[in-house]
Amino acid sequence: MAELTTIARPYAEAVFELAKQEGRFGEWSDALKLAAAVSQDANMQSVLSSPRVPYGQKSALLLATAGKGIGELGENFLRLVLRNGRTEVLPEISRLFEDMKDHNEGVVEASVASAFPLAEEQLKQVVAKLESRFKRRILARASVDPELIGGIVVRVGDEVLDGSVRGKLEAMAAALTR
């Protein structure tokens, strides 16, 4: 994974700078997601990695399926990735681009694990409190973890806020064994 990230980062940074200059984050985001999805298709992978298929045909196929609506610069970008034999890193390029875009827009991702499914209103309240605490817009991803017994555990970046019953029991056990 680290190797893919190392390979993908310069591409993602270049696209990010281009999108920033053009003010077209949405278009580039959609295009990269589509290109990543197309590149992960098993049939597409076999064609793009085949030495028997000429570059021109590969390029035409990739642009026909993933290059719609991204303009000349987007098409040139896909051709460059293909020419360099890096189509397998398109999903990582897309992920890194999204991270850079979110950071630029002041958005931070949070994972919210709860013992039971949260109602939409409850999740909105959690997000509002997190946005107030972190002074950034929060994109929350909710999940259910029955092992928490009750309460929630929130992860924002490298910070963990543990309000679960399991966490409180573990803290109590640690205090009693000292």
Side-chain angles (χ1 to χ4, degrees):
M1 184 67 170
E3 184 178 316
L4 287 180
T5 301
T6 302
I7 295 168
R9 186 174 321 287
Y11 292 103
E13 289 172 348
V15 170
F16 174 78
E17 288 302 320
L18 186 60
K20 189 174 180 179
Q21 289 172 5
E22 296 177 333
R24 295 180 55 208
F25 284 116
E27 292 92 338
W28 276 100
S29 179
D30 293 343
L32 288 172
K33 286 176 186 173
L34 178 60
V38 167
S39 73
Q40 289 182 312
D41 178 72
N43 293 328
M44 183 63 83
Q45 285 177 351
S46 66
V47 170
L48 294 177
S49 63
S50 173
R52 293 186 174 148
V53 179
Y55 168 78
Q57 288 179 350
K58 290 178 186 180
S59 177
L61 179 62
L62 184 61
L63 292 177
T65 54
K68 300 201 185 301
I70 59 174
E72 185 178 344
L73 290 174
E75 290 177 4
N76 288 342
F77 171 75
L78 287 178
R79 283 187 195 103
L80 176 69
V81 171
L82 178 63
R83 189 175 312 114
N84 291 340
R86 300 297 191 196
T87 55
E88 77 279 357
V89 299
L90 279 168
E92 187 66 9
I93 293 170
S94 178
R95 186 191 68 75
L96 289 171
F97 175 83
E98 289 301 317
D99 289 349
M100 289 180 224
K101 179 178 77 78
D102 287 347
H103 181 69
N104 183 66
E105 294 172 347
V107 176
V108 66
E109 190 171 306
S111 72
V112 180
S114 59
F116 302 97
L118 293 175
E120 189 66 32
E121 190 57 38
Q122 290 172 314
L123 186 59
K124 285 181 183 178
Q125 290 173 350
V126 169
V127 167
K129 288 184 181 188
L130 290 171
E131 288 177 341
S132 172
R133 177 182 176 139
F134 290 98
K135 307 289 188 247
R136 299 186 81 181
R137 205 173 92 214
I138 301 290
L139 176 62
R141 305 223 188 278
S143 63
V144 176
D145 182 0
E147 291 183 14
L148 296 177
I149 304 170
I152 64 172
V153 174
V154 178
R155 285 179 179 78
V156 179
D158 59 355
E159 192 167 340
V160 178
L161 307 170
D162 190 347
S164 69
V165 172
R166 181 183 69 190
K168 289 180 181 7
L169 288 173
E170 288 172 356
M172 191 182 312
L176 290 173
T177 58
R178 287 186 207 169

